[in-house]
Amino acid sequence: MSDIKEIKGIPVISFALIFAIVLAITMFVVGIVMVLLRYPMYTMMHYLNVTPINGFNPVFVGSIFPVYFIIVMPIMVFIFGFLVTALATIIYNFIAPKIGGIKLELE
């Protein structure tokens, strides 16, 4: 026989921290994949002597691209993921007692 439990509150800091860490790790992996897929294109542009067009220099973009996607993006995703998750958790904790929390069926 299963037992139905209701989530009446979620600890804000721990939930937001765990969720933000998962998001940052995911973004780090996605960043590595993006660099592996796109970096050869920018390297090829460098060897083909592609000239800047309208101020856009593909060689510069190719040199900053790995740093951005492997270092900067996971940090940004962690910060904003933490803030958004904390805000969503605070809203849930405010609304759940009034309208009822999420119901889980446990065995």
Side-chain angles (χ1 to χ4, degrees), residues 6 15 20 36 45 62 66 68 70 78 83 88:
E6 182 177 329
F15 185 73
L36 290 175
M45 287 177 161
Y68 179 73
I70 294 177
F78 175 82
L83 293 174

Side-chain angles (χ1 to χ4, degrees), residues 17-102:
L17 187 62
I18 290 170
F19 200 72
I21 289 171
V22 169
L23 288 174
I25 291 171
T26 303
M27 187 61 222
F28 180 74
V29 171
V30 168
I32 289 175
V33 170
M34 288 186 70
V35 167
L36 290 175
L37 293 177
R38 294 191 68 184
Y39 192 67
M41 176 181 68
Y42 292 117
T43 305
M44 185 175 62
M45 287 177 161
H46 173 69
Y47 288 113
L48 293 175
N49 291 324
V50 175
T51 57
I53 301 171
N54 295 331
F56 175 75
N57 188 350
V59 176
F60 173 73
V61 172
S63 63
I64 199 73
F65 185 78
V67 173
Y68 179 73
F69 272 96
I70 294 177
I71 297 172
V72 176
M73 281 301 290
I75 293 170
M76 289 174 51
V77 166
F78 175 82
I79 292 168
F80 288 112
F82 180 85
L83 293 174
V84 169
T85 305
L87 180 64
T89 307
I90 290 169
I91 292 170
Y92 176 82
N93 287 340
F94 179 72
I95 293 175
K98 294 172 178 45
I99 63 171
I102 298 172

